[in-house]
Amino acid sequence: MTSEDTPQPADPADGTDPADGRAPAEDATSADVTGPGEGSLPADETSPAAAEPTPAPSPARAKRTRKSLSARSRGEGWEKPQGELAKYRSQARAALRFVAQRGFFGAVVGSNLTTSKVVHRRVKTVRGPFVLVANHSSHIDAPMLARGLPWAQARFLSTGVAADYFFTVWYRRLFVRIIFNAFPVDRGGSRKHAGTSRKLLRAGVPILVFPEGTRQLDGKMADFKPGAAALAIGVGVPVVPAAIIGAHEAMPKGRSWPKPGRPPVAVVFGEPMISHEDESAVDFSARIRARVKDLYDEHHDEVLGSAVRDEEDTA
């Protein structure tokens, strides 16, 4: 595995939408502004056909458009962020974040870890907001995900952090906002920031969620809480599953710095997922977890070697 995106085998020409694997919808822009007979010779201006209005989309085509998340985000757009939410889609902040995250901070990560990534080609076709979901065992998980995701999708990616720790002191708040475009998450029963993640998604801001809820002490993947799946279903956005391999071995919970020797850590981004019709958040969450586990297992040995796998199995 290299630090470059691993190419994926070309899909057959099956007419599926690259963002969600469903039948492609017409691009909303061209469908709305072009006249009849696009792609053929223009009708004579004096002919009756030229005066006929553009026919309304068929129910089947309208259904395909609703199912295609890329077409949906282009056609309907998302709410313009207002007030405090506006900073999460700030172009100036994104430019600063690129320099800090992929320049300075990236150099620190690269000098202490041997990093690599695999990105499914359909991740690069996602437009608009999405929920990035990954396993969680180390403090280096979020930086690895933010650095590994293609910039077109990572530009406004926002990560939830503990409000009672990171947002109470100005320098911590500044750090997490510059590096992670962070938003506050309440702990201890507070509801002060309830609904922020949903508001961000509706404002076109993708978010990173760790459904296990906390870092795992043994590095083994715990059950996923259904909150991330419920968000994706409720707002109507795709989920991008990701597996982080080697983070626990490199910097387990309790360490404040990676182990010496530049241990290997890889992040694998899988094909975007959307919920099935009438699928519950619990069932969708279970399907997301299974996909993340498959990504982890598929790439484990090439990152860490089979010897580590044997140690995990006997632990």
Side-chain angles (χ1 to χ4, degrees), residues 20 22-23 62-70 274 277:
D20 54 27
R22 303 184 186 231
K63 185 176 181 180
R64 289 199 304 272
T65 302
R66 287 195 299 272
K67 287 184 176 181
S68 171
L69 291 163
S70 291
I274 59 172
E277 188 174 356

Side-chain angles (χ1 to χ4, degrees), residues 25-35 38 54-55 57 61 65:
E26 292 288 335
D27 186 293
T29 302
S30 62
D32 290 343
V33 303
T34 55
E38 182 180 3
T54 304
R61 176 179 167 185
T65 302

